[in-house]
Amino acid sequence: VTPGGLMCERSISLQENNPCTGASRKKPSFVRSHSENELSIMKSCQLKEEVEDILPDSSRLYVLPTFASGSKHPSLRSINCGTLADLIMGRHKNNVESFRIVDVRYKFEYDGGHIRGAENWQHGEDDQFLSAFLPSAPLPAPPQYCLENTEKRNILIFHCEFSSQRGPDFYMKLRERDRQLNKDVYPGLHYPECYLLHLGYKEFFKNFPDLCTGNYTEMIDPRHENDLRKMRAKSKSWSGGTVARTGRMGRLHL
């Protein structure tokens, strides 16, 4: 069993010198054969080292202009508010089949104003959130690397007020479950193409208020002090595991 939990078979050829016949036999040789899943993992790791901007499932490249999310979340890919605006206005329709904007701010923030078409999910709604995005069955096989693949994408964009904590938490929560579900067809993912909205709703509203419904309600708005206290209490049990999960996943190539 390898460190990654993958099975390998070893074939042994036992050939020794025979003093009776005088025949000369070779010393034992070990030939290692890899499982299909292990070969897929090895190929994926090689591609991630050699191909810039490759998706986490090693199938092709990101379709939107992206950049790393900084030192706090280096494994996440971000887009700026201009790119999201282009997406909403249909300027990527030739390459994108569908997109979902996942707003994970508290409900009172979302109700005060949000990006057109965004859906709101709360801390503490783990099961409902994951069931709404991921099927129960894994992919049938790992994807094949093909830069010429022109099939349209289904992508996700996560954000919160500043996209500094709550947005990345949900991004990684979905990715972790996706990885678990497809562990036997690594690096396959149901949602390989996820993005974090750089600087969050605050920045988007400042630049594209016409693409928003309502206005901008801050999380610390004094008018919603009681709402904030209730929401934090509701999410307290879930958020305790977030830091550990985020730290662990952040050390991996998501």
Side-chain angles (χ1 to χ4, degrees), residues 113-152:
H114 54 268
I115 299 170
R116 186 195 305 169
E119 52 191 280
N120 185 227
W121 291 93
Q122 303 292 309
H123 281 182
E125 297 177 342
D126 294 42
D127 292 338
Q128 301 97 310
F129 166 70
L130 294 170
S131 296
F133 285 81
L134 295 171
S136 58
L139 293 168
Q144 297 298 312
Y145 174 61
C146 181
L147 289 181
E148 291 74 32
N149 184 352
T150 58
E151 183 179 355
K152 290 186 178 184

Side-chain angles (χ1 to χ4, degrees), residues 235-249:
S235 64
K236 186 176 181 181
S237 60
W238 179 86
S239 63
T242 301
V243 174
R245 269 202 306 273
T246 300
R248 182 172 68 255
M249 296 299 289

Side-chain angles (χ1 to χ4, degrees), residues 37 47 60 95 122 133 145 163 209 223 225-226 232 237:
N37 195 36
L47 286 170
R60 47 184 172 170
N95 297 312
Q122 303 292 309
F133 285 81
Y145 174 61
S163 291
R223 296 173 299 172
E225 184 177 352
N226 289 334
R232 281 182 164 169
S237 60

Side-chain angles (χ1 to χ4, degrees), residues 99-192:
F99 63 93
R100 297 173 72 172
I101 303 172
V102 186
D103 183 337
V104 298
R105 294 175 300 151
Y106 296 132
K107 188 175 185 299
F108 69 86
E109 296 175 84
Y110 177 84
D111 290 344
H114 54 268
I115 299 170
R116 186 195 305 169
E119 52 191 280
N120 185 227
W121 291 93
Q122 303 292 309
H123 281 182
E125 297 177 342
D126 294 42
D127 292 338
Q128 301 97 310
F129 166 70
L130 294 170
S131 296
F133 285 81
L134 295 171
S136 58
L139 293 168
Q144 297 298 312
Y145 174 61
C146 181
L147 289 181
E148 291 74 32
N149 184 352
T150 58
E151 183 179 355
K152 290 186 178 184
R153 327 291 184 93
N154 296 296
I155 66 179
L156 304 178
I157 302 99
F158 292 84
H159 79 85
C160 52
E161 185 174 9
F162 308 111
S163 291
S164 61
Q165 187 61 49
R166 290 174 290 175
D169 287 348
F170 268 77
Y171 184 137
M172 292 211 221
K173 177 165 54 175
L174 183 83
R175 178 57 51 78
E176 183 177 19
R177 178 64 62 86
D178 206 350
R179 281 287 185 216
Q180 291 172 348
L181 182 62
N182 290 290
K183 64 182 184 300
D184 293 329
V185 289
Y186 186 93
L189 291 165
H190 288 293
Y191 283 102

